[in-house]
Amino acid sequence: MRAGSQLAALPLIAVRDAAASSIAGIGAPRYGVRPGALQAAMDWLCLSHEATGRRGSSMAFSLIFGWRPAYPETTGYIIGTLLAHAGRTGDERYVDHARTMGDWEIKVQSDDGGTMGGFVRPRPGPSIAFNTGMVLHGWLDLYESLGHERFLDAGRRAGDFLVRTQDFDGAWRGTHAHRGIAHAYKARVAWALLRLAESASENRYRDAAARNLEWVLERQRPNGWFECCEFEPGALPNTHGIAYTLRGLLESHELLGDPRFLGAALLSSEVLMRKLEVLGTLPATFDSTWAPGAGYVCLTGMAQLGGVWLRLYQLTGDARLLNAGLKAVDQAAAHQERRRWKPLAGPLPGSFPIWGRYAPLQYPNWATKFLADALMLRDDCLAQAT
Amino acid sequence: MRIVLVSRYPRADFPSWKRDLAARLLEMEVELGVLYSRAPLTDHLRAAMGEVGLDVVRGYRGRRSSSPAAASRAVPERRSLAAWARRRGIPVMLHRGLGDPDCADALRAFRPDLVVLAGADIVPAALLGIPAAGSINPHYGLLPKYRGMNVTEWSIHHDDPVGVTIHDVSPGIDTGDILLQEAVRVEAADTLPTLRRKHQDAAARLLVDAVARIRSGTIERRGQADDQGRQYYRMHPLLLERVERKLRDGSYRWIGEEPPELMRGAT
């Protein structure tokens, strides 16, 4: 298929999803990860890098516009996925892709040490705290894997930006926050700062992380729901943002040893596991009573929550989390595109159905990244459970 | 004593333990009624496709075919509890859902002293308040530790004993007072289907015992604290395979072992 062929694929995919969603409601449960799912996802991530001329990873493959430009934020944490897969396979190609991405991130790092929002532009927009945190993860992954000081140096500059722009209460808001508001999902930034504190042996990064985590904990209601977890003012929290929050909390527990963070992640997880069971899937959004708020599934969030539950299983040994994680990963993986045409050979769509409001009609690079992460965790947990 | 058995899918309610239970209750000279949810045919079809898949078609075709091969795949000819009850003049109440207003009206009109759940949907709070002596349920797991679904399988996964608990039905999931409990002995030849039948037989026996004790006012109750157990959900096929393997290869801790003493029912 030639460039522009994505438009030919669009109606086929739309009709398929319409049929699937009408048979048994949204997210018709399908069990089983297909053979080669992880390799297909990793091949696609590499292709997303080639598609930009080996700058960053293309933000997405769109069924309207084709390959999108390189996207700094998500390129940052795709680095870790590539390195993890390299560690499992011994294939140095993934290390090469990761290193090239890391160097590109250094090249586009803003003068203030942060990472700009959106795509790289001749006149870059303001640095965004969350985006900076995600790229920080990538640099730390490279530093830990390869030992190259330039990645730690870039990480320090990012960490200094985060400390400098943090509000007194631990949140990031205003100019350096998406839509100017504070978000609970920046717990993932706190996680990055804790990692930086260990690599750079500097307490101020840990202190900044701890301030943010306290702020995040205060946002959790007794029923497990997080305030300030929505992406946009007035919107409902998306499973993508909820999963970011939970992952940030549980990993911060690992680094700080504070049981409150683990407890917070488990509280929300208990609710969502029950939702998955009762509803048969996870709608993209929930309101403060955990009533579903959307008629579509955010597949990124589904893959991420599968990964969160598998990580929690690794930490707690609670087999119910393994059970829920396997189901969530199955549901996400069931929607992985596996066509012969390379741009559609391995990616995960933003939503099911494909026209759902989260990243509609496209395959975001971060969706595929989180699917790959979840598939790797799945393998590890099944081996652990033997 | 007036008792209502609550179940679902009247056209396909075949498990023999329910007829056994009903027969034993009749021997105790109770006045019996049966209440069903998911009565419409469309509910059956949707559930059959969702829960059983194409086996529902194979089963139907097997019944219609005279070939031995087809017969071996067929769902065995059995009489549903609904049909069994009708033949004996036992009232059978059919409803779409237990939450339907007419369902509560029908139950109220029967004036039950006790409701016994026999593979029923979750009972709404509005129905729980109708029977004078409450509602009881057989749970195929040892409470309080194992609440929820697939608890036999989860117990095997964790190398814990398996068994049946008879408990009061409360608004929570499997959190009501425990009335009777019995562990089920697992033998080397047991599989999940044979264990399920053992649990069903134990459930029927324990329910009859519980009814007798409730009627005589001698039932003892043991409360459960929320933090004494966890809620389990349908087991993923990969974990289910491992449970089946533990039974096959003999690695399940309780194979051939005498199960622990619990609040046993009269044998």
Side-chain angles (χ1 to χ4, degrees), chain A residues 31-32 270 273-274 277-278 317-320 322-323 326-327 330 378 381-386, chain B residues 46 122 147 149-150 154 157-158 173 229-240 242 245:
Chain A
Y31 291 103
E270 196 74 43
M273 285 197 293
R274 176 164 172 73
E277 192 69 24
V278 170
D318 184 345
R320 300 175 312 136
L322 171 62
N323 194 51
L326 291 175
K327 289 180 181 179
D330 273 357
R378 177 182 182 271
C381 289
L382 286 173
Q384 174 186 339
T386 301
Chain B
R46 196 177 301 120
I122 291 179
R147 296 169 178 151
M149 308 175 72
N150 281 161
W154 283 112
H157 174 89
H158 289 112
I173 305 292
R230 285 176 164 170
Q231 182 160 15
Y232 289 85
Y233 299 113
R234 269 177 287 251
M235 190 177 259
H236 188 277
L238 285 178
L239 299 183
L240 205 53
R242 294 179 177 206
R245 191 163 58 235

Side-chain angles (χ1 to χ4, degrees), chain B residues 164-202:
Chain B
V164 177
T165 303
I166 308 299
H167 65 96
D168 282 334
V169 180
S170 66
I173 305 292
D174 301 324
T175 55
D177 289 351
I178 296 169
L179 307 179
L180 294 170
Q181 265 186 329
E182 186 174 289
V184 167
R185 185 183 168 96
V186 180
E187 304 296 350
D190 271 318
T191 61
L192 286 176
T194 64
L195 284 179
R196 186 162 185 83
R197 283 195 288 276
K198 284 185 176 180
H199 280 71
Q200 289 171 346
D201 291 343

